[in-house]
């Protein structure tokens, strides 16, 4: 499947909607917490167990993005989007079978392993293409697309809650909800597959695509990027920021219910699902808002905001969050906006440091930080909450230790961001090519399809 090249006169503003069709679909992963309580009741699972499909999905997202990044660069976004469609939808269908038969391992395999591959390939499928279409505003462009991933739960959370209410929250009801998800998302993702285009090769008349140009600045191959300290510092930055946010997001519905269970105004299941949707809205708004802001103030400065102000938000939740529902919700919304903004800004940060040559492949490798965070965040929050509950504690006491751990992780990320410097010229493509005796690499690169 060759990359579809845009005809003369093609508007680059048609590319973000294609990316959104994919990201809004796979962003359903952020609504997994809506399924946690029904699965726990129907299959007799603990909070830690019910998080396994989500955790494995995030692990596979990072691994498939890392190993598939080079293939996405080589075969183009349409191939990647097609793979994402097949895997993500198939994961739901397998999960439906698992829920119907009471086989939790099949849900873990379907949603986590198969669906997680769809998450990873789908997530990186439009990023490199968007940066090539919008070299003048990379933060905004990737923010628009990745906004969809953060906003997917804004649709999926109330939709899933309504289906569970209509179909029932037993095994058969959950199975039917999974089935509807799988079929619906397949149709929606197909729109992105059909619409996506890549820029015409440099030197040809491009009409509306004239914003694209030959790459400028440093150009670093993906393999060489792994040898730089900048890559690993950004890996730590992303991992810490994601761990701190994903721990709350994965357990959002039961967390807010626990925090205010002993107050005169407890949170109902419907309100908890609404809270998940609000977090999704903040996640989505942060992706476009903060990433666009990074085009103005710079990537390092915006990560200072994410990580530094994030510590303050967690401190407020840990110390006084249980005494004020509006304060708890506000702090959580700010944290999730930073969480989403971190995801949307990282491709532009990579582009600034490593160039556009293989930014998609570099981005895919960096997402292994998300895999690690996908295990760490939910594990910290769920494991500690389960142990605290076993010790006889309840309410906000279940999460105090977790919140202080998250604060420490954000401090580590802040320090790593401060250490980031421009990549040494010895890692640039020209230097690497000359060292290997292949000075024609740049000419070949210019003729490759996007």
């Amino acid at each position: 499947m060759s990359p579809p090249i845009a005809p003369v006169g093609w508007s680059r503003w048609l590319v973000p909607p294609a990316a959104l069709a994919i990201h809004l679909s796979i962003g359903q992963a952020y609504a997994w917490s809506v399924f946690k309580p029904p699965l726990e009741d129907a299959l007799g699972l603990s909070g830690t167990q019910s998080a396994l499909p989500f955790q494995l999905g995030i692990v596979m997202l990072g691994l498939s993005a890392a190993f598939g990044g080079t293939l996405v660069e080589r075969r183009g976004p349409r191939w990647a989007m097609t793979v994402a469609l097949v895997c993500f939808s198939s994961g739901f269908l397998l999960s439906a079978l698992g829920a119907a038969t009471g086989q939790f391992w099949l849900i873990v395999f379907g949603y986590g392993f198969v669906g997680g591959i769809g998450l990873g390939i789908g997530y990186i499928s439009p990023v490199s293409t968007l940066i090539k279409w919008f070299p003048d505003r990379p933060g905004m462009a990737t923010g628009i697309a990745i906004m969809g991933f953060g906003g997917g739960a804004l649709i999926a959370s109330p939709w899933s809650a309504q289906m569970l209410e209509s179909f029932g929250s037993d095994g058969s009801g959950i199975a039917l909800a999974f089935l509807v998800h799988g079929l619906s998302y397949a149709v929606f993702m197909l729109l992105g597959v059909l619409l996506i285009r890549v820029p015409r090769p440099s030197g040809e008349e491009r009409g509306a695509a004239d914003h694209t140009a030959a790459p400028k600045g440093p150009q670093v191959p993906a393999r060489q990027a792994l040898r730089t300290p900048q890559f690993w510092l950004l890996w730590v930055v992303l991992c810490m920021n994601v761990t701190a946010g994903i721990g709350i997001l994965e357990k959002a519905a039961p967390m807010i219910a626990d925090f205010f269970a002993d107050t005169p105004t407890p949170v109902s299941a419907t309100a908890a699902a609404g809270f998940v949707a609000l977090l999704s809205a903040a996640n989505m708004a942060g992706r476009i808002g903060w990433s666009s802001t990074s085009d103005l103030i710079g990537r390092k400065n915006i990560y200072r905001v994410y990580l530094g102000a994030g510590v303050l938000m967690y401190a407020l939740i840990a110390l006084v969050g249980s005494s004020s529902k509006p304060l708890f919700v506000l702090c959580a919304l700010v944290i999730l906006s930073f969480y989403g903004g971190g995801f949307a800004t990282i491709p532009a940060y990579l582009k600034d440091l490593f160039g556009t040559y293989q930014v998609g492949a570099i981005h895919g490798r960096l997402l292994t930080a998300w895999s690690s965070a996908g295990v760490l965040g939910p594990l910290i929050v769920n494991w500690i909450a389960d142990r605290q509950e076993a010790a006889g504690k309840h309410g906000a006491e279940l999460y105090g230790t977790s919140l202080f751990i998250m604060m420490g992780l954000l401090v580590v990320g802040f320090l790593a961001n401060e250490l980031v410097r421009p990549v040494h010229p010895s890692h640039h493509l020209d230097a690497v090519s000359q060292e290997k005796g292949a000075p024609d690499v740049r000419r070949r690169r210019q003729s490759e399809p996007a």
Side-chain angles (χ1 to χ4, degrees):
M1 184 181 294
S2 59
I5 298 175
V8 175
W10 180 267
S11 172
R12 64 177 181 166
W13 293 101
L14 293 174
V15 180
L20 277 172
I22 301 298
H23 276 237
L24 280 171
S25 299
I26 62 177
Q28 183 281 335
Y30 282 144
W32 178 253
S33 64
V34 176
F35 286 102
K36 281 172 62 68
L39 281 171
E40 290 167 14
D41 293 338
L43 301 179
L45 306 174
S46 67
T48 302
Q49 289 173 321
S50 66
L52 284 176
F54 176 82
Q55 287 179 286
L56 181 57
I58 299 301
V59 169
M60 293 308 301
L61 185 157
L63 293 178
S64 60
F67 289 105
T70 303
L71 283 176
V72 172
E73 287 283 320
R74 183 183 306 136
R75 299 188 179 183
R78 177 168 288 178
W79 172 86
M81 290 178 175
T82 301
V83 172
L85 184 160
V86 172
C87 291
F88 189 66
S89 296
S90 297
F92 268 114
L93 300 183
L94 288 170
S95 298
L97 179 61
T101 58
Q103 300 295 316
F104 182 60
W105 70 269
L106 196 51
I107 299 176
V108 174
F109 175 76
Y111 189 92
F113 184 81
V114 179
I117 294 174
L119 287 177
I121 300 299
Y123 189 87
I124 64 173
S125 61
V127 170
S128 177
T129 302
L130 282 164
I131 289 177
K132 290 169 184 174
W133 276 110
F134 293 87
D136 51 329
R137 285 180 280 183
M140 181 213 68
T142 55
I144 290 175
I146 295 176
M147 172 184 69
F149 193 91
L154 187 62
I155 299 170
S157 180
W159 184 36
S160 300
Q162 183 60 51
M163 279 195 286
L164 291 172
E165 184 177 339
S166 300
F167 302 151
S169 57
D170 57 357
S172 60
I174 297 171
L176 188 54
F178 283 153
L179 177 63
V180 173
H181 275 77
L183 297 178
S184 299
Y185 284 132
V187 174
F188 194 57
M189 293 172 77
L190 183 61
L191 298 177
V193 172
L194 297 176
L195 188 60
I196 192 68
R197 297 289 187 278
V198 298
R200 299 179 67 80
S202 179
E204 295 185 21
E205 184 181 353
R206 289 184 293 244
D210 283 340
H211 291 281
T212 62
K216 300 178 181 179
Q219 301 297 321
V220 181
R223 289 186 179 181
Q224 195 68 21
L226 295 177
R227 302 175 183 176
T228 66
Q230 287 83 357
F231 177 89
W232 295 106
L233 287 170
L234 288 187
W235 193 98
V236 172
V237 168
L238 184 64
C239 185
M240 298 301 100
N241 193 53
V242 173
T243 301
I246 208 169
I248 283 186
L249 190 58
E250 184 273 338
K251 202 174 175 64
M255 179 180 286
I256 192 172
D258 289 336
F259 251 79
F260 299 98
D262 299 328
T263 67
T265 56
V267 177
S268 66
T270 301
F275 175 63
V276 175
L278 277 177
L279 292 182
S280 178
N283 189 352
M284 180 173 62
R287 290 172 187 243
I288 181 61
W290 293 121
S291 61
S292 296
T293 303
S294 78
D295 287 334
L296 302 175
I297 69 173
R299 320 304 171 195
K300 177 175 280 192
N301 286 334
I302 202 67
Y303 273 95
R304 287 169 173 154
V305 175
Y306 299 155
L307 300 162
V311 173
L312 176 61
M313 295 299 106
Y314 267 108
L316 289 173
I317 291 178
L319 298 175
V320 295
S322 59
S323 63
S324 172
K325 194 178 297 182
L327 179 64
F328 177 91
V329 172
L330 178 62
C331 290
L333 292 178
V334 173
I335 289 171
L336 263 295
S337 77
F338 292 158
Y339 169 81
F343 274 120
T345 310
I346 205 68
Y349 209 161
L350 292 171
K351 178 258 183 187
D352 293 345
L353 291 171
F354 302 107
T356 60
Y357 172 44
Q358 290 186 332
V359 67
I362 298 171
H363 184 222
R365 287 161 171 78
L366 192 76
L367 290 181
T368 54
W370 194 356
S371 295
S372 300
V375 174
L376 286 175
L379 181 62
I380 291 170
V381 175
N382 285 290
W383 186 83
I384 292 177
D386 287 345
R387 294 301 176 274
Q388 297 285 56
E389 186 175 11
K393 296 184 179 181
H394 56 86
E397 296 176 331
L398 300 175
Y399 304 100
T401 302
S402 300
L403 296 175
F404 284 107
I405 291 175
M406 299 304 179
M407 291 168 59
L409 294 177
L410 287 175
V411 171
V412 172
F414 187 92
L415 295 176
N417 182 56
E418 291 302 306
L419 295 175
V420 174
R421 299 290 185 273
V423 176
H424 193 275
S426 63
H427 296 289
H428 294 184
L429 182 63
D430 287 338
V432 174
S433 300
Q434 291 172 7
E435 181 180 331
K436 294 182 178 180
D440 63 331
V441 170
R442 181 177 293 276
R443 290 196 296 273
R444 291 202 306 270
R445 171 168 54 85
Q446 297 288 352
S447 64
E448 289 177 355

